[in-house]
Amino acid sequence: MRITRPAVEILKNSAKLGLTAVVVPRKFGGMEMDLTSLMGGGRGPVGRRIGRSVAGAHTESEHCRYCCSARRRAERKKKYLPKLASAEMVAAYCLSEPQAGSDALAARTRADLSPDGKFYILNGQKMWITNGGYAGLLYRVCQGSRREITAFLLERAWPGVSTGAEEKKMGLKGSSTTAVYLDNVKVPVENVLGEIGRGHIIAFNILNMGRLLLGAFAHGGCRDALAVSIRYAKDRVAFGKPIAEFGMIQHKLAEMAIRTYVSEEHDIPGGGRHRRTSRQFFVGCAGCGQDHA
């Protein structure tokens, strides 16, 4: 049974707030802001709540939005970016394969140029793909005839594209995770992303950006855990008083607050890093508990 439709609705509601179009150029329906601004959105109140439920779904689509924005072909941007910015189309980043997880360059999915030179014929399987159950646009890394790695943009509606069953995960249940299968899928040559044989460069850059975004979204979990811990420490009574009054518990809560604060401060690179006084820091930590009061 698929239980992932709420993730799509959350993404569409996020689009109404502009959260899915932060780095997209204005002429394609976006805000044309930088990566620091995008990460700042992940740290904010809305981003924190997205991070608790569908951070994976949001980040995978952001991969393709950012990637399409950065590439040169104007006609491709015009075709896909407005739909990605409005969440009319959700994207998936397809890299891993059954035998190629961390060793992504060991991919066996094939991309062979058709005799007329107009299409690449793709065959293979991708595994553990976030948004796989409902993504309309697929970013795919494949091996060419000379074993070079090339990146492609595929549409889910094209003949030969199919998905497997939903993975039964212990967590991240707000997003879809499936296998994606390619059976003689004809991809127009204009849907090559970047240069032939340099798809791995794009893939690794996307992974680097994803780590930054997921780090920003993870702060939501840190703040929520701290808030729940503070509330529990105030409610739980032992030896005639709340355990929040015991030094050991206070130390634990302080360590959680410090680690959360330091993590957030290092999340925004260079000049975008927020610098707060010690008073603001402690007031901010105290406010974590009030969010859930």
Side-chain angles (χ1 to χ4, degrees), residues 39 43 212 215-217 219 262-269 273:
M39 294 173 65
R43 290 174 43 166
L212 286 172
F217 280 124
H219 293 145
V262 171
S263 175
E264 288 184 341
E265 288 302 292
H266 281 82
D267 192 33
I268 302 298
R273 182 177 300 152

Side-chain angles (χ1 to χ4, degrees), residues 2 13 18 54 81 93 99 105 110 160 170 208:
R2 295 180 184 269
N13 288 333
V54 293
L81 281 179
Y93 173 63
Q99 78 296 327
L105 296 184
R110 293 278 305 175
M170 294 180 66
N208 288 336

Side-chain angles (χ1 to χ4, degrees), residues 20 24 36 40 43 95 102 136 141 151 208 222 237 240 246 249:
T20 58
V24 176
T36 299
R43 290 174 43 166
L95 180 64
S102 299
V141 177
N208 288 336
C222 292
V237 175
F246 293 109
I249 301 300

Side-chain angles (χ1 to χ4, degrees), residues 43-123:
R43 290 174 43 166
V46 176
R48 294 207 302 269
R49 279 145 184 81
I50 291 175
R52 290 185 304 185
S53 53
V54 293
H58 197 286
T59 304
E60 294 303 305
S61 256
E62 197 60 58
H63 283 161
C64 284
R65 283 191 293 274
Y66 193 85
C67 193
C68 286
S69 296
R71 300 296 112 187
R72 294 181 180 177
R73 297 198 178 190
E75 66 276 10
R76 189 167 54 208
K77 293 181 181 181
K78 184 178 180 180
K79 181 178 182 180
Y80 293 123
L81 281 179
K83 294 180 180 179
L84 291 172
S86 65
E88 175 186 344
M89 178 179 280
V90 178
Y93 173 63
C94 307
L95 180 64
S96 297
E97 298 185 5
Q99 78 296 327
S102 299
D103 184 12
L105 296 184
R108 295 178 183 173
T109 297
R110 293 278 305 175
D112 297 298
L113 189 63
S114 63
D116 60 8
K118 295 181 179 180
F119 299 92
Y120 279 92
I121 311 300
L122 272 58
N123 286 280

Side-chain angles (χ1 to χ4, degrees), residues 145-212:
S145 58
R146 294 195 298 271
R147 298 185 63 82
E148 75 274 11
I149 301 296
T150 301
F152 299 87
L153 288 176
L154 287 71
E155 295 184 28
R156 182 187 185 87
W158 290 350
V161 179
S162 60
T163 58
E166 288 286 341
E167 297 285 350
K168 296 180 180 179
K169 307 188 293 290
M170 294 180 66
L172 293 176
K173 297 182 182 295
S175 64
S176 167
T177 305
T178 72
V180 178
Y181 306 103
L182 302 177
D183 182 13
N184 290 320
V185 179
K186 296 175 68 175
V187 180
V189 292
E190 56 265 25
N191 273 45
V192 171
L193 195 60
E195 301 176 30
I196 298 294
R198 293 182 61 82
H200 61 290
I201 303 297
I202 300 173
F204 294 154
N205 282 338
I206 288 177
L207 288 176
N208 288 336
M209 188 192 72
R211 293 181 181 110
L212 286 172

